[in-house]
């Protein structure tokens, strides 16, 4: 079962709006490249997802990019045999998804710049680095959905928790006729 499930509805203005739900129990969805990175490093992937969906208005393809990037980064910067945990929760106003790894962590001086374009860790710490584009893309896509993405780290060697927060809607909307 996918965490992200979509349905398209017509609004009163005849525009198409996609309503997406987060938080189903079961397997978390990500692109095949993410699966390969996680499997190739023998990471332990665990999910703690709500049994009920959390409804948000979002573009499914963009949300798949967001979570695929976060999971791929978690796998890339976590040594073989490490862990990646994905959880979902909600409060009255927000849908919240956490992606937490047991990886190399983020040094304090890099943390304020982690979402900047082309920012990467020091070459001696990042053996499988990307181009420094993925987290910038994540930040931009989440912001375009009126959400925010946060990162914390206790520093080098302590992993990195990323949190995606999106505005939620109360319940699954009824399709318009």
């Amino acid at each position: 079962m996918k965490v992200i499930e979509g349905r398209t509805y017509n609004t009163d203005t005849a525009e198409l709006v996609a309503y997406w739900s987060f938080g189903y129990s079961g397997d978390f969805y990500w692109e095949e490249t993410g699966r390969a990175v996680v499997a190739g490093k023998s990471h332990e992937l665990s999910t703690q997802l709500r049994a009920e969906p959390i409804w948000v208005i979002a573009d499914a393809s963009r949300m798949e990019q967001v979570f695929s990037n976060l999971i791929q980064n978690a796998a890339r910067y976590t040594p073989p045999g490490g862990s990646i945990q994905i959880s979902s929760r909600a409060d009255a106003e927000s849908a919240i998804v956490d992606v937490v790894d047991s990886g190399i962590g983020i040094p304090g001086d890099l943390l304020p710049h982690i979402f900047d374009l082309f920012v990467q860790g020091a070459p001696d710490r990042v053996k499988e680095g990307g181009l420094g584009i993925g987290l910038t893309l994540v930040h931009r896509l989440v912001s375009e959905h009126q959400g925010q993405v946060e990162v914390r780290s206790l520093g080098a060697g302590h992993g990195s928790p990323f949190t995606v927060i999106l505005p939620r809607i109360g319940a699954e909307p009824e399709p318009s006729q």
Side-chain angles (χ1 to χ4, degrees):
M1 192 177 296
K2 293 182 181 181
V3 169
I4 301 172
E5 177 183 302
R7 295 180 180 92
T8 302
Y9 298 82
N10 288 321
T11 65
D12 293 337
T13 60
E15 296 176 7
L16 295 178
V17 176
Y19 293 90
W20 298 95
S21 62
F22 292 80
Y24 281 113
S25 297
D27 294 333
F28 193 82
Y29 175 82
W30 67 92
E31 294 175 359
E32 289 303 316
T33 52
R35 289 181 199 261
V37 174
V38 170
K41 287 195 162 185
S42 302
H43 294 321
E44 177 186 333
L45 179 66
S46 62
T47 58
Q48 185 175 12
L49 306 173
R50 291 171 42 109
E52 309 84 33
I54 308 166
W55 291 96
V56 299
I57 299 174
D59 179 304
S61 297
R62 304 296 75 89
M63 289 299 103
E64 288 174 12
Q65 283 182 291
V66 165
F67 292 108
S68 179
N69 268 305
L70 290 176
I71 293 166
Q72 287 180 48
N73 276 0
R76 180 179 292 137
Y77 299 113
T78 299
S83 66
I84 300 170
Q85 302 163 348
I86 303 165
S87 61
S88 65
R89 54 195 160 90
D91 62 24
E93 299 173 357
S94 304
I96 306 161
V97 178
D98 297 299
V99 178
V100 181
D101 65 61
S102 65
I104 64 174
I106 302 169
D109 60 332
L110 183 60
L111 205 53
H113 307 286
I114 199 69
F115 297 112
D116 295 348
L117 189 59
F118 304 126
V119 169
Q120 297 175 295
D124 61 329
R125 292 188 66 240
V126 183
K127 294 177 179 59
E128 296 184 48
L131 299 173
I133 297 171
L135 290 178
T136 303
L137 179 64
V138 165
H139 187 267
R140 181 174 176 182
L141 292 174
V142 171
S143 295
E144 287 178 359
H145 284 83
Q146 286 72 51
Q148 59 189 27
V149 59
E150 302 171 348
V151 61
R152 298 170 302 284
S153 183
L154 299 176
H158 294 285
S160 302
F162 284 83
T163 302
V164 174
I165 304 166
L166 295 169
R168 73 182 286 198
I169 58 175
E172 178 180 9
E174 293 293 324
S176 300
Q177 299 296 335

